[in-house]
Structures are given as structure tokens and as C-alpha cells.
């Protein structure tokens, strides 16, 4: 785990919660600190959603705990039973993320065997911690998933570029391949999560502008293209080296992969406004991609040893090329309303 804004904000949220408890002369402050830790979320929308959900489940949990304490006192079996009921309700309401803090509230309230003043005190401590995390999250270094997304996209592309350029040439060390591939997979998974965060913020908090919706189309296609590139690596690992290949065939695969990653690189440069839109490169790329797949299908039709495995790899490469063509159209028309139609 690397040091980041979320770690800093979690510490600040705990600090704010503890100070607030001191100012209001409540105790024990530990509950507010625990609630603040659980409540720190990666986006503004999730912070707001978590705050609303926690208000509902904590109040419900406190009421059930108070009733349980009045009926059964604070017997361990009664506390466990109420916790089970609260968990079931939270899951039924699709508020599973709130279970942790809610159970802390339940246990602390049942400790007082149904005294409503004590229950109100414990509920207030939890809500102070949750509210502290929400305030810190929207004021101190607000989450910027788009900035993080763009940085991760470029990092993932660099890793994909290295792996595809050396995928069939057998130049890179095997340990490095596995390390870089795992890192690329982690980056793609992280990108998928950040895309969901951006989508939530855009659709749930406010009505998105046209330019924002268009940018999301681009982000989605960038992610889809990276994912297809990763699937090419998987296909090569599983099938390419198990097939019988000539030096000429190795050279053909290597040259085509080099052309693809170069085209991908040019597309990224267009999004950075460093290259002009063009049609000839995309047309030439599409023709080469079609020709490459056709030649491999012909080999399979001739029943050459290993052709079936190579055809699987070729199909994955072709699909990667198709996604590159779509991404290139978005790059060439990134300032045009036509982008919206690419979704």
C-alpha cells in the first residue's frame, strides 16, 4: 500500500471526530474514531450514499438494540441474536457496507440494557464519526477519479506496450513477464473500479454535460482496448508457444504486434493533442489487420500443424485491432459530437 490522499484524509477524519466528541463532552470517543475510519469513501457520491445509508441503519440498529436490551438485558446470546437480525436487515436493504459500524452501535447500545439516554449517546458518537469523514472527504483534497484514471491508463499502456512488443520474440526474462503481466492486470482492475466511480458521480450526483458524457465514452473505450490487449497476451501464453512455428511466421506475428502497439501509441498521442487526426494510417492498419487474420485462417484450412492454436491467437489479435480502430475514430473526432455515436 502506498501513501495517498485517502490515508491522509482518514487520519484527519478521525482527528476531527475525536475533537468533536471532546467539544460535545461525549464518551467514549473510540466509537466516533472507528466510525470515521469505516466511513472514508473513494468518491463524493459514495461518501454521500454511505452517509445516508448509515443514518438509516444506525438508527434502526440502535432501536433494535435498545428493544433487545430491554427484553433480554445484555446477555451475550441476546447480543449475538440482535446482531444477526441487523445483518439480515442491512443485506435485505442492500446496505451491506454499513454493517460494520452499525454492529458497533448495536453492541455498545445493548451494553446499557435498554437505557434510551445511553443509546442516544452511542448513536450520536457513530454519527459524529460518519459525518466527520464526509466533511473531510469533500473539503480536503476531494476525490478526482478522472485524474487518477488518466494516469493509470498511461501507465497500463506502457506495460502493455512492453509486453506485446516482446510477446513472441522471447527477449524478455520470464520472471519480468509474469511480474509485468500481474501489474497490468491489477492496473486494469483498478481502472474498472475507477470507471465505476466516475460513472456513479456523473449519473447520480447531477445531470452530466454533453462533454462529460462524451469523455466517459472515450474512457470506456480506452479501458476496453487495454483489456483486449491483455487478452492477446493471455492467448499468446496459452497457445502460441505450443504451436509449431517457422522463423518467418514468428517474424510476421512480431511485425504485426509492433504495428498494433505503434498504432495504439499514436492514438494516445492524439488524445494528448500531439498528433493530427488522419485517415490513411487507420485505413492501412485496418487492411493489414484483415489480411493478417485471412492468412492465418488459410493456414488453418490447409491443416498445418499448430494452425488451430495460431488461429486462436490471431483472432484475439484481430479483435484487439478492431477495438483500436474504434478508439482511433474517437480520437480523430474527439472534438466532434460524432463521438457520442461510438458508444
Amino acid at each position: 500500500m502506498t501513501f495517498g490522499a485517502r490515508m491522509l484524509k482518514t487520519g484527519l477524519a478521525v482527528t476531527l471526530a475525536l475533537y468533536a466528541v471532546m467539544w460535545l463532552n461525549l464518551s467514549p470517543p473510540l466509537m466516533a474514531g472507528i466510525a470515521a475510519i469505516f466511513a472514508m469513501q473513494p468518491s463524493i457520491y459514495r461518501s454521500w450514499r454511505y452517509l445516508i445509508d448509515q443514518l438509516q441503519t444506525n438508527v434502526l440498529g440502535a432501536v433494535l438494540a435498545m428493544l433487545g436490551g430491554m427484553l433480554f438485558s445484555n446477555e451475550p446470546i441476546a447480543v449475538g441474536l440482535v446482531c444477526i437480525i441487523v445483518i439480515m436487515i442491512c443485506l435485505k436493504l442492500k446496505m451491506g457496507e454499513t454493517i460494520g459500524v452499525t454492529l458497533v452501535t448495536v453492541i455498545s447500545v445493548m451494553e446499557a440494557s435498554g437505557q434510551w439516554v445511553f443509546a442516544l449517546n452511542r448513536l450520536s458518537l457513530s454519527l459524529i464519526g460518519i459525518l466527520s469523514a464526509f466533511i473531510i472527504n469533500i473539503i480536503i483534497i476531494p476525490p478526482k477519479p478522472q485524474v487518477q484514471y488518466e494516469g493509470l491508463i498511461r501507465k497500463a499502456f506502457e506495460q502493455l506496450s512492453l509486453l506485446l512488443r516482446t510477446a513472441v520474440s522471447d527477449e524478455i526474462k520470464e520472471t519480468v513477464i509474469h511480474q509485468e503481466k500481474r501489474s497490468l492486470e491489477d492496473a486494469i482492475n483498478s481502472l474498472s473500479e475507477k470507471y465505476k466511480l466516475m460513472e456513479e458521480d456523473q449519473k447520480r450526483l447531477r445531470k452530466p454535460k454533453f462533454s462529460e458524457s462524451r469523455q466517459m465514452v472515450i474512457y470506456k473505450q480506452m479501458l476496453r482496448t487495454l483489456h483486449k490487449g491483455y487478452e492477446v497476451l493471455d492467448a499468446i501464453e496459452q497457445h502460441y508457444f505450443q504451436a509449431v512455428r517457422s522463423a518467418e511466421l514468428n517474424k510476421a506475428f512480431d511485425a504485426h504486434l509492433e504495428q498494433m502497439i505503434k498504432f495504439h501509441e499514436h492514438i494516445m498521442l492524439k488524445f494528448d493533442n500531439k498528433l493530427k487526426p488522419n485517415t490513411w494510417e487507420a485505413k492501412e492498419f485496418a487492411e493489414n489487420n484483415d489480411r493478417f487474420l485471412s492468412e492465418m485462417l488459410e493456414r488453418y484450412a490447409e491443416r498445418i500443424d499448430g494452425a488451430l492454436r495460431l488461429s486462436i491467437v490471431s483472432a484475439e489479435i484481430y479483435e484487439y485491432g478492431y477495438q483500436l480502430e474504434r478508439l482511433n475514430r474517437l480520437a480523430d473526432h474527439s472534438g466532434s459530437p460524432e463521438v457520442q455515436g461510438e458508444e
Side-chain angles (χ1 to χ4, degrees):
M1 181 181 292
T2 57
F3 182 80
R6 191 173 175 184
M7 294 173 63
L8 173 64
K9 291 193 292 185
T10 300
L12 292 174
V14 171
T15 303
L16 178 60
L18 295 178
Y19 271 121
V21 169
M22 290 171 57
W23 293 333
L24 295 172
N25 199 26
L26 299 174
S27 64
L30 179 64
M31 281 193 61
I34 293 174
I37 293 171
F38 277 98
M40 187 56 63
Q41 298 294 307
S43 73
I44 299 298
Y45 169 74
R46 289 196 180 180
S47 291
W48 172 250
R49 185 71 262 169
Y50 189 85
L51 174 64
I52 299 302
D53 290 349
Q54 283 286 8
L55 284 173
Q56 298 177 57
T57 58
N58 267 270
V59 170
L60 178 62
V63 171
L64 290 176
M66 190 168 66
L67 292 175
M70 293 171 63
L71 295 174
F72 307 109
S73 186
N74 57 0
E75 291 296 322
I77 191 170
V79 176
L81 181 62
V82 173
C83 285
I84 292 172
I85 294 173
V86 169
I87 291 172
M88 291 173 62
I89 293 174
C90 288
L91 293 177
K92 188 68 175 178
L93 296 174
K94 297 181 179 180
M95 297 179 182
E97 291 185 357
T98 68
I99 289 174
V101 177
T102 303
L103 291 182
V104 172
T105 302
V106 168
I107 294 171
S108 61
V109 169
M110 289 198 71
E111 181 186 351
S113 303
Q115 297 178 27
W116 71 270
V117 175
F118 189 90
L120 184 60
N121 175 273
R122 292 299 189 260
L123 176 61
S124 299
L125 288 169
S126 293
L127 296 183
I128 287 172
I130 297 165
L131 188 59
S132 296
F134 177 74
I135 292 171
I136 291 294
N137 204 27
I138 63 175
I139 293 179
I140 307 297
I141 318 175
K144 296 181 179 179
Q146 285 192 345
V147 175
Q148 297 172 342
Y149 190 89
E150 292 177 4
L152 265 178
I153 279 283
R154 279 155 180 78
K155 180 183 177 182
F157 170 70
E158 290 174 3
Q159 293 171 321
L160 179 65
S161 175
L162 171 65
L163 290 169
L164 283 181
R165 281 189 160 111
T166 58
V168 300
S169 62
D170 200 25
E171 295 172 333
I172 194 170
K173 292 181 179 180
E174 189 172 343
T175 55
V176 176
I177 290 176
H178 292 312
Q179 181 181 353
E180 289 292 327
K181 192 178 176 187
R182 281 196 300 269
S183 180
L184 175 60
E185 183 180 14
D186 291 342
I188 290 174
N189 291 335
S190 182
L191 281 165
S192 297
E193 180 60 29
K194 281 183 169 48
Y195 181 84
K196 291 177 183 178
L197 293 177
M198 292 189 294
E199 199 171 39
E200 287 176 351
D201 279 355
Q202 189 180 96
K203 292 182 178 180
R204 307 291 177 85
L205 289 178
R206 53 187 167 74
K207 185 177 180 181
K209 299 177 181 177
F210 175 76
S211 59
E212 293 172 336
S213 297
R214 182 174 59 191
Q215 190 62 43
M216 289 298 293
V217 173
I218 293 173
Y219 285 156
K220 187 175 184 179
Q221 185 58 31
M222 283 180 170
L223 176 58
R224 184 183 289 141
T225 305
L226 281 174
H227 196 270
K228 285 299 177 183
Y230 181 84
E231 290 179 355
V232 170
L233 294 171
D234 260 351
I236 291 173
E237 182 178 350
Q238 295 175 27
H239 299 288
Y240 186 80
F241 293 106
Q242 286 75 17
V244 177
R245 311 172 318 278
S246 64
E248 181 182 356
L249 191 64
N250 284 338
K251 187 176 180 181
F253 267 91
D254 193 40
H256 192 61
L257 287 172
E258 176 66 31
Q259 183 189 21
M260 299 190 88
I261 204 65
K262 183 179 179 182
F263 187 48
H264 198 161
E265 182 179 19
H266 285 186
I267 295 170
M268 298 303 290
L269 289 172
K270 289 178 185 178
F271 284 118
D272 290 337
N273 292 319
K274 293 179 180 179
L275 285 184
K276 298 178 181 178
N278 62 71
T279 57
W280 64 267
E281 183 183 27
K283 183 179 179 181
E284 182 182 7
F285 176 83
E287 291 173 352
N288 288 340
N289 204 34
D290 289 343
R291 187 184 309 113
F292 178 79
L293 182 61
S294 297
E295 290 175 357
M296 289 312 307
L297 292 177
E298 289 174 6
R299 288 176 61 87
Y300 177 54
E302 294 171 5
R303 305 281 182 182
I304 299 174
D305 287 343
L308 178 57
R309 286 183 178 273
L310 294 176
S311 296
I312 294 173
V313 177
S314 301
E316 292 292 349
I317 291 175
Y318 179 83
E319 178 61 21
Y320 173 47
Y322 172 72
Q323 297 301 334
L324 282 174
E325 291 176 44
R326 294 189 66 196
L327 186 61
N328 182 66
R329 287 196 294 272
L330 291 172
D332 283 346
H333 301 92
S334 59
S336 165
E338 294 175 19
V339 172
Q340 186 70 11
E342 288 293 331
E343 177 65 11

